[in-house]
Amino acid sequence: MDQLFSDTSKNEDHRDLESSFTAYFKKTKKESKIIPQETIDSIELHLAKGNIQGANSVIRDALKNIDNAPINIAVTGEFGAGKSSFINALRGVGPEEEDVAEVGVVPTTMRRTPYKHPKIQTLTLWDLPGIGTLNFLPKDYLEKMKFQEYDFFIILCATHFTKLELDLAKTIRLMKKNYYFVRTKVDTDLDNEKKCKSRTFDRAKTLQQIRSMCVNTFCQNNMDVSQIFLISNRHLSDYDFPVLMDTMIKDLPAQKRHNFILSLANITEPAIDRKHKSLQQTVWLEACQAGILATVPTVDILMDHVEKLKEKLNHYRVLFGVDDASLQVMAKDSQVPVEQLKKIIKSPYLLETKKEETFREMLLRYLEKLALGNGGLLASGVYFRKTFYLQFLFLNTVTEDAKVLLRQI
């Protein structure tokens, strides 16, 4: 009889886990999922059969693929198009930091040059010489530049796209790769137009004129009008830079989206939210992999768990740019004392305890906070191990800190 009750309880746990897993990934938009749909289907099938070990094996492999999936982005364009500045902006690297892509007044790129992202080691941006610089035909140029290694190409210009660049795009398309036309330095164009026509200046009209000039170039070269992204490397939240990032995320394979999303700068609140949702998926997957307990979580937590939690919290702070080093840079750039920035955020103090408060009491307090803020998660009938409750709390707090700092500066 005891065995019967035990088996029944296990089956109920499996069904709870399956329904929660299915519900969670159903509400996640297709373009935001960090694992392929066929992988999700496989996990659900294992859970439906009560095969927890099989589900955990698929999840383990999926997480490993996410961690190790290389992302290679090719950036090309003629001298003066702003390639180096664009690469530095994508990497979140300032002009005087180490390993910065060199920006100068003479051509600096005569061969392809790799730049690793400082936080996401699987992401590499490749600075390619302009096709006109090497005087190659598009196909020869792509072979010389090892085009098969890249996930997609970004073609930059600061004035108008040349026939060589349009022919290059056609060849990239024939080779079944994605490319994006990016018109840089639109802020400079707007400033110049405003100086010339101070009384009649119309920002929207000027931007439309820039876009129309690019479209006309496509038409004159018998090429389908492609989407054109107007950006400023100095003001990333303005113009089409956020749209460009969204488009690239959607076009990437699911397992490569996660690290690319984490690499992006906190230029808008939607960008921060996207980072939060992506990391939330990894916490769910890790929690499922670790196993689900069908009991209310206990608070008997070992000190090695505490150290792991500290590492996880610091990891989130680095990814969201609210760690001590990032705060120092932010304070310098915004000319605000770093202590002032630290006063308006909460994550640095999450694991601090008062002398009279034990870690057990602190954990209970955090679980209570989490229950209030995430009732839907806790009310689902599935209870994660205690460490995962805290990971969600850390993630939510760090996300809010990033938004608070964005508004402040």
Side-chain angles (χ1 to χ4, degrees):
M1 182 65 73
D2 289 343
Q3 181 64 42
L4 177 62
F5 280 126
S6 177
D7 291 343
T8 302
S9 177
K10 283 182 181 178
N11 288 335
E12 287 176 354
D13 294 348
H14 296 164
R15 283 195 293 270
D16 278 347
L17 177 52
E18 179 200 353
S19 60
S20 294
F21 184 90
T22 301
Y24 180 79
F25 279 99
K26 252 185 187 172
K27 71 179 182 181
T28 304
K29 293 180 180 178
K30 180 182 177 182
E31 63 270 18
S32 299
K33 289 177 181 174
I34 63 172
I35 56 176
Q37 186 59 46
E38 55 266 28
T39 303
I40 294 172
D41 293 340
S42 176
I43 295 167
E44 289 175 351
L45 181 61
H46 282 300
L47 293 175
K49 293 178 177 179
N51 182 7
I52 295 296
Q53 290 303 317
N56 282 350
S57 177
V58 176
I59 292 171
R60 183 184 63 247
D61 291 343
L63 289 170
K64 187 176 179 181
N65 287 338
I66 290 169
D67 287 339
N68 298 328
I71 307 168
N72 290 283
I73 302 172
V75 182
T76 187
E78 294 303 318
F79 169 63
K83 286 185 298 175
S84 297
S85 296
F86 180 80
I87 288 171
N88 292 337
L90 271 181
R91 295 169 66 235
V93 175
E96 296 180 355
E97 294 183 45
E98 285 185 30
D99 194 32
V100 66
E102 187 179 349
V103 179
V105 294
V106 295
T108 57
T109 309
M110 297 304 291
R111 54 185 173 79
R112 68 178 197 143
T113 307
Y115 292 96
K116 288 280 187 184
H117 192 281
K119 295 179 182 178
I120 309 299
Q121 289 300 300
T122 57
L123 172 59
T124 307
L125 291 119
W126 293 85
D127 190 349
L128 308 187
I131 183 170
T133 310
L134 299 182
N135 200 27
F136 287 147
L137 292 173
K139 189 173 184 301
D140 297 332
Y141 172 87
L142 289 174
E143 288 177 355
K144 181 82 172 176
M145 294 296 116
K146 301 184 179 180
F147 77 97
Q148 288 287 9
E149 292 183 8
Y150 311 118
D151 291 283
F152 49 76
F153 292 77
I154 297 172
I155 305 173
L156 303 181
C157 86
T159 51
H160 62 275
F161 295 101
T162 66
K163 186 178 185 305
L164 270 176
E165 289 160 344
L166 299 184
D167 288 343
L168 176 63
K170 290 177 184 177
T171 308
I172 293 170
R173 182 188 295 168
L174 286 173
M175 294 176 170
K176 303 189 184 307
K177 293 275 188 178
N178 286 327
Y179 62 86
Y180 307 94
F181 282 115
V182 177
R183 170 61 159 80
T184 61
K185 303 184 181 181
V186 293
D187 55 328
T188 302
D189 293 324
L190 289 172
D191 288 343
N192 291 338
E193 185 75 4
K194 192 172 183 179
K195 288 175 185 176
C196 295
K197 301 176 181 178
S198 57
R199 287 185 299 168
T200 60
F201 173 72
D202 185 322
R203 183 179 185 274
K205 185 178 178 181
T206 303
L207 287 172
Q208 185 54 48
Q209 287 173 344
I210 295 171
R211 201 180 298 275
S212 296
M213 286 174 61
C214 294
V215 170
N216 290 339
T217 304
F218 293 135
C219 294
Q220 290 165 8
N221 286 274
N222 299 315
M223 186 173 179
D224 294 338
V225 176
S226 178
Q227 186 172 6
I228 303 155
F229 301 92
L230 309 183
I231 73 161
S232 162
N233 290 328
R234 295 184 297 178
H235 307 288
L236 298 183
S237 60
D238 296 338
Y239 317 109
D240 294 338
F241 189 88
V243 182
L244 172 63
M245 296 301 107
D246 287 347
T247 305
M248 291 193 292
I249 289 168
K250 289 175 186 176
D251 290 345
L252 275 171
Q255 67 269 23
K256 294 195 177 190
R257 282 186 197 132
H258 180 65
N259 281 335
F260 184 69
I261 289 169
L262 296 186
S263 76
L264 300 179
N266 298 336
I267 57 174
T268 62
E269 289 198 18
I272 295 171
D273 284 333
R274 189 189 283 275
K275 206 178 279 192
H276 172 267
K277 288 175 183 175
S278 192
L279 277 165
Q280 195 177 60
Q281 289 181 62
T282 64
V283 177
W284 264 84
L285 289 167
E286 288 168 1
C288 291
Q289 184 190 5
I292 300 299
L293 300 180
T295 56
V296 175
T298 59
V299 291
D300 53 332
I301 190 164
L302 301 174
M303 286 314 295
D304 62 329
H305 286 162
V306 178
E307 290 306 312
K308 288 178 183 176
L309 285 169
K310 286 180 180 177
E311 288 176 14
K312 186 64 72 172
L313 175 58
N314 289 333
H315 178 61
Y316 290 158
R317 290 183 65 205
V318 169
L319 290 176
F320 281 83
V322 299
D323 57 303
D324 290 346
S326 298
L327 290 175
Q328 291 283 357
V329 174
M330 201 179 300
K332 183 179 178 181
D333 291 344
S334 58
Q335 297 183 330
V336 173
V338 70
E339 292 76 18
Q340 185 175 324
L341 296 180
K342 285 185 176 180
K343 283 180 182 177
I344 61 174
I345 61 175
K346 298 177 180 178
S347 57
Y349 318 107
L350 272 176
L351 286 175
E352 287 185 2
T353 59
K354 299 174 183 176
K355 288 183 180 179
E356 65 273 16
E357 182 182 38
T358 66
F359 192 85
R360 182 179 184 279
E361 291 167 338
M362 182 190 71
L363 182 56
L364 281 172
R365 175 164 55 85
Y366 287 161
L367 287 175
E368 183 181 355
K369 283 183 183 178
L370 194 63
L372 292 172
N374 298 271
L377 175 66
L378 297 182
S380 67
V382 176
Y383 298 91
F384 291 97
R385 286 181 176 169
K386 47 203 168 287
T387 54
F388 293 107
Y389 279 106
L390 287 174
Q391 283 190 45
F392 278 116
L393 179 68
F394 294 167
L395 184 54
N396 292 342
T397 306
V398 170
T399 299
E400 187 54 37
D401 281 354
K403 290 182 180 180
V404 167
L405 290 170
L406 179 64
R407 296 176 200 132
Q408 173 73 17
I409 62 174

